[in-house]
Amino acid sequence: MKYVFLVYVLLLIQSCNHNESYRFRIAEKDGILQASPVSLKMDTLGLGGMDGQSNLVLMNNGKQIPFQIDNDRKRLWFVHTPNNTSSYEIVKEEAKGHGIEGVNVDKRNGNLQLSKGSVPLLTYRYGMTYPPEGVDSIFRKSGYLHPMLTPSGDTLSRIQPPDHYHHYGIWGPWTHTRIEGERVDFWNLVERQGTVLFKAFNDTYSGDVYGGFNARQEHINLQATEDNRIALNEDLDVKVWDLDRPDRYMVDYTTSFTSPLENGILFEAYRYGGGLGMRFTERWHKDNCTVLTSEGNDRLTADGTNARWCMVTGESSNGKGTNGVLFLSYPENRSHPEPMRIWPIDGNGGRGDMFFEFCPIRHEEWKIEPNKDYRLKYRMVVFDGKLTAEEAESYWKSFAEMPKIVKN
């Protein structure tokens, strides 16, 4: 009889373990809720005996929700969308197939491509790109994002335009800097003073919710001796998030940097430099491209002003709609709300081509001390169709402060 009782206890324990779960909800927030990455600390779940992601299931109103555990196994990530209820449950059991394609990394021929399933979205160029034949080779470059595609396949970024061969899609070299009192320009390659190049990958990752990479980039002082050429070591972290909708995706762009130089480096105040810059497609000009900032400024008034977010919208390639990018600045960034450089509407010989940059040193210099860590953090929402000011503000709020988790 005691053996029967023992078997019963073991079965009960197994049953309890199988049904072990963690229930929580997303705290209500003001405003229009948009899709937002959310994370939980793994050590708070209390689901003992976990051997990986395969024995956990995230449920919302009877539906399985894709999630991803980061590489250091400290956090579990998922995207909370307006279609989901606020209440979730993590159950310890074998996951079933959910048909999610995920965000994948494909690295070949000097390109790291990030795709949603088989649909390419964003490429990081780690191989060297050379200028067109007949153009000075000083304009060669690696370590930039291009092309950036909308979900429907429109290319939004541009490299090596004839008016600015040093423009490379999405990138952020510093412009007017001083090292030991000497001017070094890492932006205007024609000056032959400096450049920024890819060095190595620290990490690459794919998954059901996001995919991305972390790359070491070197800011090189071409005028210095060999042992002092590296002015900044930068780790660029880029994540592409699947927002579970066909017309939008999200990109997190975080640059962390430090200077190995004995006396550091000074970023002088200037209208270009650092942060996050983007040269837009040649399709867009003064007549088919608009700007809207969090402070209500437009293409005519935004340049030199500060903003939490800025939305650039232009005509789609088929001429039948619009698409664009919403740029978000993180509250902990220097000079937030952040100053911007936006080209004048009558620039480029009257064409009014589109260039945008969050420029943290536009109005005030920044002294970078030796061997001290610095960080700038941005988010981009890439969209087909239209995105309202109310939606933009909601995206910024969830970026500024991740939606809070409340244990049930």
Side-chain angles (χ1 to χ4, degrees):
M1 185 69 181
K2 64 180 180 180
Y3 295 109
V4 174
F5 178 77
L6 180 60
V7 170
Y8 173 79
V9 170
L10 289 173
L11 290 173
L12 182 62
I13 292 173
Q14 289 176 354
S15 175
C16 290
N17 285 340
H18 179 73
N19 294 322
E20 194 173 6
S21 67
Y22 181 89
R23 293 181 177 87
F24 64 95
R25 61 184 172 84
I26 307 295
E28 295 295 327
K29 299 188 69 177
D30 295 332
I32 300 174
L33 180 64
Q34 299 303 315
S36 174
V38 179
S39 76
L40 298 91
K41 291 182 179 179
M42 291 292 291
D43 59 11
T44 65
L45 299 183
L47 303 177
M50 293 182 295
D51 59 8
Q53 187 165 329
S54 60
N55 68 341
L56 293 179
V57 175
L58 176 63
M59 301 297 295
N60 179 270
N61 196 30
K63 181 177 69 172
Q64 187 174 321
I65 302 297
F67 68 91
Q68 193 166 332
I69 298 173
D70 57 21
N71 285 352
D72 60 10
R73 303 197 57 76
K74 291 183 178 180
R75 287 187 174 272
L76 180 151
W77 291 89
F78 66 99
V79 174
H80 177 64
T81 75
N83 295 326
N84 295 351
T85 65
S86 61
S87 295
Y88 290 85
E89 182 179 18
I90 298 177
V91 181
K92 187 185 172 190
E93 63 180 41
E94 284 297 317
K96 300 174 183 178
H98 45 60
I100 298 296
E101 294 179 300
V103 180
N104 307 309
V105 169
D106 180 33
K107 190 169 61 171
R108 67 179 75 182
N109 300 325
N111 296 310
L112 185 151
Q113 186 178 80
L114 292 157
S115 305
K116 180 180 177 181
S118 60
V119 179
L121 300 175
L122 185 66
T123 296
Y124 175 72
R125 177 64 180 171
Y126 63 91
M128 188 66 75
T129 301
Y130 292 89
E133 186 176 352
V135 177
D136 194 330
S137 63
I138 193 64
F139 290 107
R140 62 188 180 275
K141 184 81 174 72
S142 64
Y144 60 89
L145 293 170
H146 173 79
M148 170 181 274
L149 304 171
T150 69
S152 66
D154 272 7
T155 298
L156 297 184
S157 57
R158 185 184 188 187
I159 66 169
Q160 298 179 336
D163 53 13
H164 291 76
Y165 280 116
H166 59 277
H167 280 195
Y168 277 90
I170 301 169
W171 83 127
W174 301 96
T175 309
H176 284 191
T177 80
R178 287 200 177 270
I179 300 174
E180 303 293 349
E182 296 295 323
R183 171 70 60 80
V184 182
D185 187 336
F186 299 93
W187 179 288
N188 294 292
L189 300 178
V190 71
E191 300 294 335
R192 303 177 184 273
Q193 296 175 0
T195 189
V196 182
L197 300 177
F198 167 81
K199 176 64 175 179
F201 284 108
N202 300 316
D203 197 9
T204 61
Y205 38 85
S206 302
D208 290 342
V209 179
Y210 64 84
F213 65 90
N214 187 290
R216 170 59 58 93
Q217 300 186 154
E218 293 181 330
H219 297 236
I220 302 169
N221 179 3
L222 299 175
Q223 305 171 114
T225 59
E226 192 66 32
D227 56 343
N228 283 314
R229 295 192 79 189
I230 307 304
L232 289 172
N233 285 307
E234 176 190 15
D235 289 329
L236 176 65
D237 192 85
V238 174
K239 284 186 175 72
V240 170
W241 297 87
D242 180 3
L243 299 184
D244 192 30
R245 54 184 297 173
D247 59 342
R248 294 179 190 176
Y249 68 93
M250 184 181 286
V251 182
D252 280 351
Y253 181 106
T254 304
T255 169
S256 304
F257 53 93
T258 184
S259 176
L261 300 177
E262 182 179 358
N263 294 311
I265 181 172
L266 176 68
F267 300 154
E268 294 183 317
Y270 190 61
R271 68 179 182 271
Y272 292 102
L276 172 67
M278 180 169 176
R279 179 66 187 263
F280 279 87
T281 170
E282 58 271 30
R283 298 195 320 270
W284 290 1
H285 48 75
K286 62 181 180 181
D287 298 321
N288 67 358
C289 176
T290 63
V291 167
L292 177 65
T293 78
S294 57
E295 312 311 301
N297 287 300
D298 59 17
R299 181 80 190 269
L300 293 174
T301 61
D303 182 48
T305 66
N306 293 21
R308 302 185 306 277
W309 54 262
C310 179
M311 180 164 48
V312 181
T313 306
E315 187 177 75
S316 58
S317 61
N318 61 13
K320 298 180 180 180
T322 58
N323 42 45
V325 182
L326 170 66
F327 298 91
L328 310 172
S329 169
Y330 194 61
E332 293 180 7
N333 286 0
R334 187 178 188 275
S335 302
H336 179 89
E338 210 157 334
M340 296 169 292
R341 172 58 172 159
I342 294 173
W343 272 356
I345 203 163
D346 59 352
N348 303 88
R351 292 193 312 272
D353 294 350
M354 184 63 209
F355 173 88
F356 167 84
E357 183 187 9
F358 270 133
C359 184
I361 44 77
R362 171 133 196 186
H363 304 306
E364 185 179 356
E365 67 181 26
W366 191 4
K367 179 64 169 71
I368 303 303
E369 301 294 341
N371 302 310
K372 183 178 178 181
D373 295 328
Y374 297 86
R375 186 180 77 160
L376 293 167
K377 185 176 177 181
Y378 304 97
R379 175 170 286 174
M380 294 171 277
V381 180
V382 185
F383 60 92
D384 282 310
K386 295 183 179 180
L387 195 152
T388 67
E390 290 77 16
E391 289 176 313
E393 182 67 16
S394 181
Y395 276 122
W396 181 80
K397 286 180 178 179
S398 64
F399 179 48
E401 183 178 1
M402 188 184 300
K404 288 184 172 60
I405 298 291
V406 179
K407 190 177 185 303
N408 282 349

